[in-house]
Amino acid sequence: MNIFQQIAAALVDGEAELTLNLVNKCIADDIDINQIVDEGLAVGIKQVGDYFEDGEFFLPELMQGAEIMKSAMEILNPIILEKTGGQFKSKGRVVIGTVAGDIHDIGKTLVASMLTASGYEVHDMGADVPIERFLNEVIDKNADLLCMSALLTTTMINQREVISKISEKGLRNKVKILVGGAPVTKKWAQEIGADGFAENAVEAVKIANILIGVDD
Ligand code: HCB
């Protein structure tokens, strides 16, 4: 097993200390953070979700996996953010949050960190964000880009609701909209009138750059 497979396996086994030790080892060995997340942690947490779906794991195991992932991200986030080097020249203003009824925030926070690291001014509203709050924040922050996350098939619909509210206010051509989250697809993004869909945080930065019209 390579180190990423070991991280994924440790997370699935609920071995918090081992997972964090392996993550710290990767950092010490100067391994790319994206690889630690995409090939290690994200693979592990996805496996936990699949076991949960199959009835092999129950809520305590799901929560345990999430806690380990969050602890690992607490170690990695400052390193991701450090890449901005403190000299902040904003590429654009981003408002981001997970939609109402949905408390999943790991992926959203990762997207927020990567966008910040790439040079965007990011306003993270957290999770379970009411529809009106998205609208108000877009207006308040004069956002160039709105990113919405949804992890549940029952909450995806709120991405559409937010877009409708923004259109009703006549703001649709003032802000680009990027959606994501496990059940979200490119087809759904098109159907609800979003400008883009991103499969992961790295792609989110790429698509944001294209939508805003800036270089990497
Ligand atoms: Co949760 N949960 N969960 N969960 N959970 C899912 C999402 C299921 C798919 C698991 C399953 O059944 N296979 C499932 C949803 C099924 C469905 O709707 N079809 C599910 C369920 C059912 C539930 C509860 C209802 C369980 C219950 O209580 N019975 C409950 C929901 C409560 C609520 O929200 N109202 C629940 C609770 C939890 C926690 C609390 C235990 C925990 C969340 C902790 C937290 O976030 N603070 C949790 C977790 C961890 C998961 C799984 C295992 C992992 C999610 C995750 O963090 N992935 C998930 C299984 C899965 O997704 N396969 C499971 C890792 C991140 C990095 O990936 O996809 O979130 P991501 O984000 C990516 C990507 O999508 C993209 O970039 C990110 C970074 O690469 N992206 C964007 C995301 N947002 C973007 C926005 C953009 O603009 C652009 C790109």
Side-chain angles (χ1 to χ4, degrees):
M1 275 205 279
N2 67 30
I3 186 110
F4 309 120
Q5 290 165 330
Q6 289 175 44
I7 289 174
L11 193 152
V12 173
D13 292 344
E15 300 273 4
E17 202 182 327
L18 177 60
T19 312
L20 300 185
N21 285 344
L22 290 165
V23 166
N24 280 321
K25 184 177 179 334
C26 287
I27 295 167
D29 291 346
D30 209 18
I31 290 174
D32 181 22
I33 304 286
N34 290 334
Q35 255 187 310
I36 305 174
V37 176
D38 290 346
E39 294 176 35
L41 296 165
V43 172
I45 195 74
K46 181 163 186 314
Q47 182 70 68
V48 170
D50 291 346
Y51 282 156
F52 176 72
E53 201 167 20
D54 296 345
E56 219 171 301
F57 275 6
F58 297 97
L59 206 52
E61 284 100 345
L62 184 64
M63 293 189 69
Q64 181 174 258
E67 282 308 315
I68 298 176
M69 175 99 188
K70 284 196 94 168
S71 305
M73 290 315 299
E74 273 162 26
I75 299 175
L76 295 174
N77 272 331
I79 303 173
I80 296 172
L81 296 179
E82 212 176 87
K83 286 189 187 163
T84 52
Q87 285 162 5
F88 195 74
K89 186 176 172 291
S90 172
K91 283 182 181 176
R93 289 171 299 276
V94 179
V95 162
I96 187 168
T98 305
V99 295
D102 199 327
I103 61 164
H104 294 89
D105 68 352
I106 296 172
K108 178 271 304 162
T109 306
L110 192 53
V111 172
S113 302
M114 295 293 281
L115 285 169
T116 305
S118 155
Y120 286 92
E121 175 191 323
V122 178
H123 301 276
D124 186 347
M125 289 186 292
D128 192 11
V129 179
I131 293 164
E132 288 289 334
R133 254 199 79 205
F134 272 110
L135 179 67
N136 293 339
E137 194 78 350
V138 163
I139 297 170
D140 248 38
K141 299 293 184 298
N142 192 16
D144 301 299
L145 178 69
L146 168 64
C147 293
M148 281 186 284
S149 188
L151 266 287
L152 298 171
T153 41
T154 48
T155 59
M156 282 165 72
I157 194 87
N158 288 330
Q159 294 181 330
R160 192 205 318 253
E161 292 300 312
V162 172
I163 296 177
S164 296
K165 281 271 182 280
I166 287 176
S167 301
E168 276 169 30
K169 280 273 175 193
L171 298 169
R172 187 61 192 91
N173 59 356
K174 289 204 159 62
V175 61
K176 299 288 181 193
I177 300 178
L178 178 60
V179 292
V184 175
T185 58
K186 197 171 183 177
K187 186 166 172 280
W188 169 253
Q190 282 164 351
E191 200 180 310
I192 64 174
D195 298 294
F197 156 74
E199 185 89 43
N200 56 49
V202 174
E203 202 180 291
V205 171
K206 280 190 195 148
I207 311 269
N209 289 343
I210 294 169
L211 293 177
I212 302 296
V214 293
D215 294 330
D216 288 355

